[in-house]
Amino acid sequence: MENLWLVSFLSAVIVAATPILYASVGEILSERAGVMNLGLEGVMLLGAVSGYIVVVRTQSLLYAALAVILVGLLIGLLFALLTVTLQANQTVCGLSVTIFGTGLSGFMGKLASSNATPEFFQKIAIPGLSRIPYIGPIVFRQDLLVYSLYVLVALAYFLIYRTRPGMKLRAVGENPNAADYVGINIYRLRYLYVCLGCILTAVGGAYISLAYSPMWIDGMTAGRGWIAIALVVFSGWNPLFAAAGALLFGGIDVLGLRFQAMGVSIPSHFISMLPYISTVLVLIVSTGSFGNKRSRTPKALGTPYDRECR
């Protein structure tokens, strides 16, 4: 019985961590290119509501996924236009995206004709691997978006630290003047990674409405976008560390729900606060001045690049 509880718990932790990790990996790529997007919460909400509406209207998860990717791309293009081309303040633009996405998603959600998602991503057991004791039921009995995330995290790490395009990405975020001097197109790369980051963030939001909780509720991301931003800092802009942090946050979230299910006499409001309390503690630990800790923040993060001012 204890083993079954542990397997069930760890499997649920992976599911709870998935939307946060999608957004975190997307933001890591964007910030590595020097563009900070504080609008993850709004992008996730728009991804969640667009996926929900399309699957309700078409009964097709494929069309829903394409719609989510398109929404993320459009938001990314708009954000890149404001911050990269027009060199607007990235913090203000990010907060504006959050406000805009929260309001628009609530309005769009009211236009849908159903409260339940007719089609959603269901768990698929991978033959052979799913039979591995303990590990199989936890890791290899998940849905398609979770499996895609396994690959995404590995690819993102390999891209950043083991490839020439990754070296260019890090150069753009650390010293765009030097990168431009050697012929790297700063604007093109920043557009690319901002758009890719928004697409992944939108997919993370859609995961909530199409897999984690197959329905639409206004504001259903519940601050996961902000947790993802904190996780980027905590991870040191490293996708593997972000995965570990997402599992930590997912575990805290699931543990609170399990306590409630077991009838533990802990106020539900306090349990709901646990992920956000842990977020604050993580930010204090990861950004506080303890000893001679070296900052791993990309040096050009949040700074618009103007070629004429080199």
Side-chain angles (χ1 to χ4, degrees):
M1 181 66 69
E2 291 182 359
N3 291 338
L4 289 176
W5 185 91
L6 181 61
V7 167
S8 174
F9 171 75
L10 293 178
S11 178
V13 168
I14 293 177
V15 173
T18 296
I20 300 174
L21 188 51
Y22 264 110
S24 295
V25 173
E27 182 65 5
I28 285 173
L29 294 174
S30 179
E31 293 196 7
R32 279 286 184 180
V35 181
M36 178 175 58
N37 184 359
L38 297 182
L40 300 191
E41 185 75 4
V43 179
M44 290 184 76
L45 282 169
L46 289 173
V49 73
S50 60
Y52 166 77
I53 290 175
V54 172
V55 83
V56 166
R57 299 293 173 84
T58 67
Q59 316 290 309
S60 171
L61 287 173
L62 175 60
Y63 289 155
L66 292 175
V68 170
I69 292 172
L70 179 60
V71 167
L73 176 61
L74 291 176
I75 299 171
L77 287 172
L78 176 61
F79 191 79
L81 174 66
L82 293 172
T83 58
V84 178
T85 302
L86 301 180
Q87 300 181 13
N89 185 283
Q90 295 178 12
T91 301
V92 173
C93 289
L95 295 176
S96 299
V97 170
T98 292
I99 296 170
F100 173 75
T102 302
L104 182 59
S105 64
F107 174 75
M108 291 172 63
K110 293 179 180 178
L111 301 178
S113 59
S114 173
N115 291 324
T117 307
E119 296 288 338
F120 56 92
F121 289 96
Q122 301 187 28
K123 293 187 176 183
I124 303 171
I126 298 180
L129 294 177
S130 61
R131 296 179 178 273
I132 299 174
Y134 300 107
I135 295 176
I138 296 170
V139 179
F140 299 113
R141 291 182 186 174
Q142 300 289 352
D143 57 75
L144 184 60
L145 289 179
V146 173
Y147 295 141
S148 300
L149 187 59
Y150 297 161
V151 178
L152 173 66
V153 171
L155 285 178
Y157 178 83
F158 185 77
L159 167 71
I160 294 172
Y161 296 105
R162 296 290 186 269
T163 66
R164 183 175 294 273
M167 183 177 64
K168 292 180 179 179
L169 168 62
R170 285 180 283 132
V172 169
E174 293 289 340
N175 193 336
N177 288 318
D180 193 6
Y181 183 78
V182 298
I184 297 175
N185 191 320
I186 307 300
Y187 300 108
R188 182 172 63 189
L189 285 184
R190 286 191 169 182
Y191 261 84
L192 172 63
Y193 287 110
V194 166
C195 290
L196 182 57
C198 284
I199 289 172
L200 293 177
T201 301
V203 171
Y207 183 81
I208 300 174
S209 62
L210 299 180
Y212 186 65
S213 299
M215 64 179 71
W216 167 253
I217 300 174
D218 192 12
M220 69 184 306
T221 54
R224 287 180 176 86
W226 298 110
I227 293 177
I229 293 172
L231 186 56
V232 170
V233 180
F234 167 74
S235 69
W237 291 264
N238 185 318
L240 294 184
F241 292 158
L247 290 173
L248 172 63
F249 285 118
I252 294 172
D253 191 16
V254 173
L255 193 61
L257 296 175
R258 293 299 172 99
F259 280 159
Q260 283 186 315
M262 291 186 298
V264 177
S265 58
I266 300 177
S268 60
H269 295 295
F270 177 77
I271 291 177
S272 300
M273 288 168 53
L274 288 178
Y276 310 102
I277 293 174
S278 62
T279 300
V280 173
L281 293 176
V282 161
L283 281 177
I284 292 173
V285 172
S286 58
T287 63
S289 300
F290 303 107
N292 296 319
K293 186 170 59 176
R294 178 177 173 270
S295 174
R296 290 169 289 182
T297 308
K299 293 182 176 58
L301 180 61
T303 304
Y305 178 69
D306 188 353
R307 236 186 146 199
E308 304 303 321
C309 296
R310 286 199 299 175

